[in-house]
Amino acid sequence: SIAFGEDSPEAIEVLIELGNIASQKGRLEEAESAYQRALVRSREQLGPESDDALRAEGGLAMLMVLRDDYAAAEEAIVDIVERLESSGRAESPLMARTLMNLGLAQERAIRIPEAIESYEKARVLVAAGHAGNAVEAFEPQIRLARLQATQGRADEAVALLDEIVPKIRDRHGDLHINTISALSAQCNARYHAGDHEGALESATLAYEAHREMVTVTHPETLRLRVNQLKLMNIVSRFEAADAICEAEIPLARSSLAPNHEVLGEFLVQHASALASLAEIDEAWDCLMEGIGIFERGLPPGHSRTRMAYAIASQFAAARHELAPDQGFDEVAAEFAAKLD
């Protein structure tokens, strides 16, 4: 800002880029301050419908995604999409990036059909050459393949990603957000195709790259760690999963909001590992804490909460078999009733 002058258009672009960098590094308050300053200046100097003003609004919306406020994020991004359409910018780089952001907010909210539609619109813009440098050529394909894997097309997604991932790693190296996105999508596709060891390999590469590129406490780094833990439990690496949880749940508690879903996921995965290691009471406590976080932090009826209810019902039924006089049959019935 000093080099260009506080009120120059270049200074606004610098503020937006500073917001992007701070967001990537998990410094969300710093990112919010930069985006807010860019938004105020761009509205005053360039107008509220200028590209820079909408880019700053988009940055603020993506902070909502990182903070798990998916409904507010989607509402804000849809508003940007509508304003771009009404101002003749439906085929612009800013629209391509905004559609990618919209798809991510919808994906995180488990609104998969809507996310696929947003990513497909972005893919069309990229294929037609309208995205400029705002969206990389493979980016929409990676996002689409990740979701296709959950829609009964896992083998197709695996084949596409096994072809794309090496090209992206060659182009960018491992410490790049596009490489990490591709590895995460490959992990998801392999999981749904039944290749759990292959999925764990991709999940580990994605986590290690993000940790090295950003920080161990960034919300996305912790989310990638949870994905790795899920797969470690699936392939019966319970001791390793337990050790990771013991070391890193305190990090998650200190860096995430108290009701952040990633903290809840950490606790649920720790419960799974502990139960498999016959640490029954500790596992139950972790599971109950995780469910409490989901109930407070996610919308009613969210799929993650329901999955945790199902786990709790099964776990309580198993505990009743071991200790019939402790009332776990009633607990199992209570959680089962929450699934109705």
Side-chain angles (χ1 to χ4, degrees):
S1 297
I2 294 172
F4 297 114
E6 286 292 323
D7 295 328
S8 69
E10 292 87 353
I12 296 171
E13 294 178 7
V14 168
L15 283 170
I16 292 172
E17 187 58 29
L18 287 173
N20 293 341
I21 293 170
S23 175
Q24 291 170 6
K25 293 186 177 298
R27 302 197 297 266
L28 303 190
E29 292 184 2
E30 181 181 330
E32 183 173 8
S33 174
Y35 289 140
Q36 289 284 12
R37 290 165 63 197
L39 181 60
V40 169
R41 293 184 187 184
S42 57
R43 283 175 171 173
E44 290 176 349
Q45 298 167 34
L46 305 172
E49 302 303 313
S50 64
D51 279 6
D52 281 344
L54 297 184
R55 285 174 62 208
E57 288 186 37
L60 290 167
M62 293 310 291
L63 293 181
M64 297 177 194
V65 174
L66 288 173
R67 289 166 169 156
D68 282 359
D69 194 353
Y70 306 132
E74 182 175 357
E75 182 179 357
I77 299 169
V78 166
D79 180 62
I80 296 171
V81 168
E82 292 173 348
R83 288 151 67 191
L84 287 170
E85 289 174 338
S86 66
S87 59
R89 289 173 284 179
E91 296 182 343
S92 65
L94 181 55
M95 176 64 92
R97 173 44 55 194
T98 303
L99 287 168
M100 293 295 289
N101 291 346
L102 177 59
L104 183 60
Q106 293 165 331
E107 183 179 350
R108 291 287 170 80
I110 321 295
R111 289 164 46 78
I112 304 304
E114 292 85 354
I116 289 175
E117 181 181 357
S118 297
Y119 291 147
E120 178 60 24
K121 288 178 180 178
R123 187 198 65 77
V124 170
L125 290 179
V126 171
H130 297 308
N133 294 324
V135 179
E136 288 231 353
F138 290 128
E139 197 175 348
Q141 290 176 273
I142 291 167
R143 302 271 187 95
L144 283 166
R146 181 168 66 210
L147 298 185
Q148 287 167 354
T150 69
Q151 305 294 301
R153 299 167 62 185
D155 290 338
E156 179 184 341
V158 168
L160 174 62
L161 289 163
D162 284 354
E163 177 184 350
I164 288 176
V165 168
K167 295 177 181 178
I168 294 175
R169 293 179 76 180
D170 286 343
R171 178 182 299 179
H172 297 298
D174 283 353
L175 303 185
H176 192 280
I177 193 64
N178 288 341
T179 303
I180 294 166
S181 177
L183 286 167
S184 296
Q186 186 183 52
C187 165
N188 192 51
R190 287 176 170 178
Y191 168 78
H192 284 282
D195 180 9
H196 296 152
E197 289 287 355
L200 178 57
E201 177 186 356
S202 299
T204 300
L205 288 170
Y207 164 73
E208 290 176 347
H210 203 278
R211 180 190 63 194
E212 183 70 19
M213 189 179 76
V214 189
T215 66
V216 70
T217 56
H218 189 284
E220 290 304 305
T221 307
L222 293 169
R223 190 184 299 277
L224 290 168
R225 186 59 133 175
V226 165
N227 290 341
Q228 184 191 31
L229 286 167
K230 290 178 184 177
L231 290 159
M232 292 173 76
N233 280 325
I234 287 171
V235 300
S236 302
R237 299 185 189 176
F238 306 122
E239 293 86 354
D242 175 41
I244 289 170
C245 289
E246 289 287 352
E248 298 188 16
I249 285 177
L251 294 176
R253 291 189 192 279
S254 65
S255 59
L256 298 174
N259 294 325
H260 199 292
E261 71 174 81
V262 172
L263 177 56
E265 290 276 16
F266 251 112
L267 290 160
V268 170
Q269 294 309 313
H270 197 197
S272 179
L274 288 166
S276 299
L277 295 171
E279 300 287 347
I280 302 302
D281 290 338
E282 189 176 351
W284 182 258
D285 290 344
C286 279
L287 181 58
M288 292 302 99
E289 185 181 358
I291 287 174
I293 288 172
F294 291 156
E295 289 178 334
R296 293 188 297 272
L298 295 173
H302 194 281
S303 61
R304 288 186 179 87
T305 311
R306 291 178 58 80
M307 185 174 295
Y309 287 160
I311 294 170
S313 180
Q314 294 167 5
F315 194 174
R319 295 200 73 178
H320 175 67
E321 293 293 327
L322 295 172
D325 60 342
Q326 294 187 14
F328 280 104
D329 54 337
E330 296 179 3
V331 176
E334 289 174 6
F335 278 111
K338 292 183 178 185
L339 296 169
D340 295 336

